[in-house]
Amino acid sequence: EPEVTQTPSHQVTQMGQEVILRCVPISNHLYFYWYRQILGQKVEFLVSFYNNEISEKSEIFDDQFSVERPDGSNFTLKIRSTKLEDSAMYFCAIMTGTYEQYFGPGTRLTVT
Amino acid sequence: AQKVTQAQTEISVVEKEDVTLDCVYETRDTTYYLFWYKQPPSGELVFLIRRNSFDEQNEISGRYSWNFQKSTSSFNFTITASQVVDSAVYFCALSGWKTGANNLFFGTGTRLTVIP
């Protein structure tokens, strides 16, 4: 099973601050995803990233969000000006060549 | 539009009982993938299975089995002889087949509690 790590495991930030969540897939993959899960709710798709560009995004992924793969390994999600409703668990995922998606352990974001 | 319904919000069983978690999906795609994930109390999402829409063979993996019925748009998950470690939230998910359209649509999950 492909391994995906995420940092930090927990991030506390004040409303209006910028946060960057990081995902590091251990092996080479082409497809990356960010999902979020508000506490007690279902997992929701945010954005998919392929070949260094966004391939699909949900309506949640507005102008406050951005993704990039700055150094060919880390895959980051940036929230420019956090809101209280951004508090959630954020999961990075990779997709294998057989279309299986494996998730990282998640980053719990708390916006105060 | 893609939609996944897990009508069972919570299920409790006594250890060693069998339990089936239901999943019903909606999609306009003729080919697609179906998934099950386990989310234990620690919070991570653990991949359990991926199924192609053109393969309706049931699958068994140890105490886990999956019943895919395209005619009823269902992909149910059965745990045989449940154990306390099976206590978790289980999510069913659906994705498209086309490259670039593979994001997962999740159901709301079923919380399974196995009582010792």
Side-chain angles (χ1 to χ4, degrees):
Chain A
E1 180 173 317
E3 192 174 335
V4 182
T5 62
Q6 290 184 241
T7 59
S9 56
H10 190 191
Q11 173 96 43
V12 181
T13 190
Q14 289 190 329
M15 199 166 51
Q17 296 295 305
E18 175 183 286
V19 294
I20 297 176
L21 311 182
R22 290 185 172 79
C23 172
V24 183
I26 299 301
S27 49
N28 289 330
H29 295 284
L30 295 176
Y31 292 91
F32 301 87
Y33 301 80
W34 283 102
Y35 293 83
R36 80 170 186 192
Q37 184 182 31
I38 295 172
L39 186 63
Q41 297 187 22
K42 68 178 179 181
V43 182
E44 299 174 293
F45 166 72
L46 291 177
V47 65
S48 58
F49 194 79
Y50 169 67
N51 204 22
N52 291 324
E53 60 182 31
I54 291 173
S55 57
E56 203 164 4
K57 59 183 180 179
S58 73
E59 58 191 23
I60 302 170
F61 193 86
D62 61 22
D63 292 342
Q64 294 297 315
F65 292 89
S66 62
V67 290
E68 62 176 6
R69 202 174 176 207
D71 56 9
S73 61
N74 289 302
F75 177 49
T76 63
L77 174 70
K78 183 193 289 186
I79 309 175
R80 287 190 186 82
S81 178
T82 50
K83 306 189 248 295
L84 293 176
E85 54 264 37
D86 294 327
S87 294
M89 183 74 94
Y90 288 82
F91 292 102
C92 169
I94 58 90
M95 186 172 73
T96 68
T98 52
Y99 297 93
E100 295 169 354
Q101 289 194 28
Y102 293 91
F103 286 76
T107 293
R108 180 165 298 285
L109 177 65
T110 303
V111 182
T112 61
Chain B
Q2 320 271 40
K3 185 179 178 184
V4 176
T5 301
Q6 294 180 257
Q8 303 152 310
T9 307
E10 295 190 29
I11 300 177
S12 290
V13 298
V14 176
E15 200 171 19
K16 296 184 185 171
E17 286 184 349
D18 299 348
V19 58
T20 295
L21 310 182
D22 297 333
C23 173
V24 174
Y25 62 91
E26 294 174 34
T27 179
R28 290 195 205 116
D29 295 343
T30 53
T31 49
Y32 44 89
Y33 293 107
L34 294 162
F35 301 78
W36 277 94
Y37 286 87
K38 175 182 180 180
Q39 188 172 46
S42 50
E44 70 268 28
L45 286 164
V46 179
F47 171 87
L48 296 178
I49 190 171
R50 172 191 58 79
R51 207 64 167 136
N52 303 329
S53 57
F54 51 81
D55 183 0
E56 287 195 68
Q57 265 194 326
N58 289 335
E59 184 154 342
I60 297 174
S61 176
R63 296 184 298 107
Y64 295 170
S65 62
W66 290 270
N67 181 277
F68 175 34
Q69 291 198 355
K70 209 165 179 178
S71 60
T72 55
S73 298
S74 65
F75 186 44
N76 296 338
F77 172 32
T78 297
I79 302 174
T80 304
S82 58
Q83 299 175 2
V84 172
V85 293
D86 296 328
S87 296
V89 179
Y90 291 86
F91 290 98
C92 180
L94 167 72
S95 83
W97 174 270
K98 184 179 165 185
T99 299
N102 304 112
N103 50 287
L104 297 173
F105 292 87
F106 282 82
T108 49
T110 297
R111 180 178 300 278
L112 174 65
T113 302
V114 181
I115 303 164

